[in-house]
Amino acid sequence: MPRPIQALIHTAALTHNLARARAAAPDARVWAVVKANAYGHGIENVFQAFRGADGFALLDLEEAKRLRALDWRGPILLLEGCFEPRDLELCSRLDLWHVVHREAQIDWLAAHKTQLPHRVFLKLNSGMNRLGFTPQAFRSAWVRLNALPQVDEISFMTHFADADGPRGIEHQLKCFLEATADLQGERSLSNSATALRLAGDDPRVRADWVRPGIMTYGSAPDYPEHDIAHWDLQPTMTLRSQLIAVQHLQGGDTVGYGSTFTAEQPMRIGIVACGYADGYPRHAGTGTPVLVEGVRTRTLGRVSMDMLAVDLTPVPAAQCGAEVTLWGKGPRGTVLAIDEVARAAGTLGYELMCAVAPRVPVLAAA
């Protein structure tokens, strides 16, 4: 039989979470953000569940090709825009909308020969300081774009750095509203945290388009302040495997490379077919939560390339072949949220989703 590790993609949960995003901003259109191969889920695996979105947003031209090959004829937005002039040829051919965030991209458009003008989103750097024109340069960038026959409609966007934290978005929102005050065009502001926490109460941030990302994949954008149950989100990915060995330890015995865990008394441990070569974080130390046959327990010692150890004390009857849930949906309706595993490992659910290795079989599930 093949090695027992699998990643399950829950299509009904994807549909549910997208509906939650729409409900959070009922007057806005919704981008389904599928960058990074749909946050590690696979574009082809999420496509049917996300067909109810108004458009897809991503970074990679090859991923845009995959969406068009799936017969998506609606909007596709390149969130980082074009990377070189010839990318505009593919934008014309595939009818891709694209972000403009620096002067060179305007230069490329000015030199681009096309019969169909492009839809662009002009990005303002309102304080995130990654991409976008400064408030001082924003208006001149708009003037240049507006004068180009290669450009049809100009929309506006920015990205909030602290929508999930105490600083909030007001300083960036004020900057955006001032920069775009008298300009005609659609707006896109809200990421997952903004949509869930603010869009329902503040029409200024709801705007015309919302860009929910991590929430649609079953992770709470403001964890641990709120978890997925609070936001009525469902896990969309389960990483599961099995016990492939059981060991009986005596007090003083150690586990794994570096002997980082020492048993204080006799105990049973299980060895799971999952390691950092599968995408499980090597830096997840003893105590990271895990489910064995739906029962909550913990990892022990250092994660190896292909295996990790778990404490079987709460599951005394567990034997080889027992189901192990690394994150996601376990047996009998149990759930181990990816956010909880990520926090124990000192990282984010985003990273765990995107890090699942190509050698792990990915299967669609209910």
Side-chain angles (χ1 to χ4, degrees), residues 140-176:
S140 62
W142 177 84
V143 169
R144 286 193 66 198
L145 283 172
N146 195 49
L148 292 180
Q150 294 90 339
V151 174
D152 181 13
E153 187 172 344
I154 303 173
S155 301
F156 308 103
M157 68 188 300
T158 196
H159 194 68
F160 297 127
D162 298 290
D164 57 348
R167 188 182 186 195
I169 68 167
E170 193 60 36
H171 62 295
Q172 287 188 257
L173 180 59
K174 180 176 183 291
C175 177
F176 180 83

Side-chain angles (χ1 to χ4, degrees), residues 2-282:
R3 189 162 172 264
I5 192 168
Q6 297 174 328
L8 305 180
I9 307 302
H10 304 290
T11 54
L14 290 161
T15 301
H16 171 88
N17 295 342
L18 181 67
R20 284 288 299 118
R22 193 176 290 283
D27 299 325
R29 281 169 287 172
V30 179
W31 293 109
V33 181
V34 293
K35 62 181 181 176
N37 196 25
Y39 287 52
H41 290 61
I43 286 175
E44 289 75 11
N45 295 323
V46 307
F47 177 67
Q48 290 299 329
F50 284 170
R51 284 199 80 138
D54 299 289
F56 286 85
L58 42 68
L59 309 182
D60 191 275
L61 286 166
E62 289 301 316
E63 292 181 345
K65 288 180 183 178
R66 287 160 61 188
L67 276 172
R68 290 298 188 220
L70 290 166
D71 201 32
W72 175 254
R73 294 294 173 257
I76 297 176
L77 176 64
L78 298 177
L79 289 167
E80 292 181 356
C82 295
F83 299 102
E84 59 181 359
R86 65 179 179 177
D87 292 346
L88 289 168
E89 298 172 11
L90 196 60
C91 290
S92 294
R93 181 150 49 90
L94 296 181
D95 189 22
L96 305 181
W97 301 3
H98 49 100
V99 169
V100 173
H101 61 82
R102 62 188 178 110
E103 288 286 346
Q105 292 170 326
I106 303 178
D107 296 338
W108 301 340
L109 274 165
H112 178 55
K113 293 180 173 57
T114 180
Q115 294 183 353
L116 296 175
H118 289 219
R119 172 76 176 269
V120 300
F121 276 68
L122 181 61
K123 188 161 190 175
L124 173 71
N125 176 9
S126 60
M128 183 77 163
N129 289 312
R130 295 192 312 187
L131 302 180
F133 292 92
T134 65
Q136 296 75 23
F138 188 79
R139 183 57 58 104
S140 62
W142 177 84
V143 169
R144 286 193 66 198
L145 283 172
N146 195 49
L148 292 180
Q150 294 90 339
V151 174
D152 181 13
E153 187 172 344
I154 303 173
S155 301
F156 308 103
M157 68 188 300
T158 196
H159 194 68
F160 297 127
D162 298 290
D164 57 348
R167 188 182 186 195
I169 68 167
E170 193 60 36
H171 62 295
Q172 287 188 257
L173 180 59
K174 180 176 183 291
C175 177
F176 180 83
L177 294 175
E178 290 176 352
T180 61
D182 59 343
L183 299 179
Q184 296 298 312
E186 293 184 342
R187 272 74 167 157
S188 178
L189 295 168
S190 295
N191 56 8
S192 290
T194 313
L196 287 173
R197 294 166 65 102
L198 300 168
D201 301 319
D202 191 339
R204 298 177 303 163
V205 299
R206 193 178 310 153
D208 301 287
W209 291 87
V210 293
R211 308 188 302 271
I214 196 64
M215 68 171 289
T216 56
Y217 298 99
S219 175
D222 56 354
Y223 185 86
E225 181 181 351
H226 298 111
D227 61 13
I228 58 172
H230 174 87
W231 294 121
D232 186 24
L233 302 173
Q234 298 177 5
T236 61
M237 176 190 287
T238 294
L239 184 65
R240 72 180 185 185
S241 189
Q242 294 179 8
L243 297 183
I244 59 172
V246 174
Q247 302 293 341
H248 298 264
L249 304 186
Q250 301 302 312
D253 286 348
T254 62
V255 175
Y257 287 117
S259 300
T260 59
F261 175 80
T262 302
E264 296 181 355
Q265 59 192 16
M267 63 184 300
R268 295 173 75 243
I269 68 168
I271 306 303
V272 183
C274 178
Y276 60 76
D278 300 298
Y280 194 86
R282 183 181 181 275

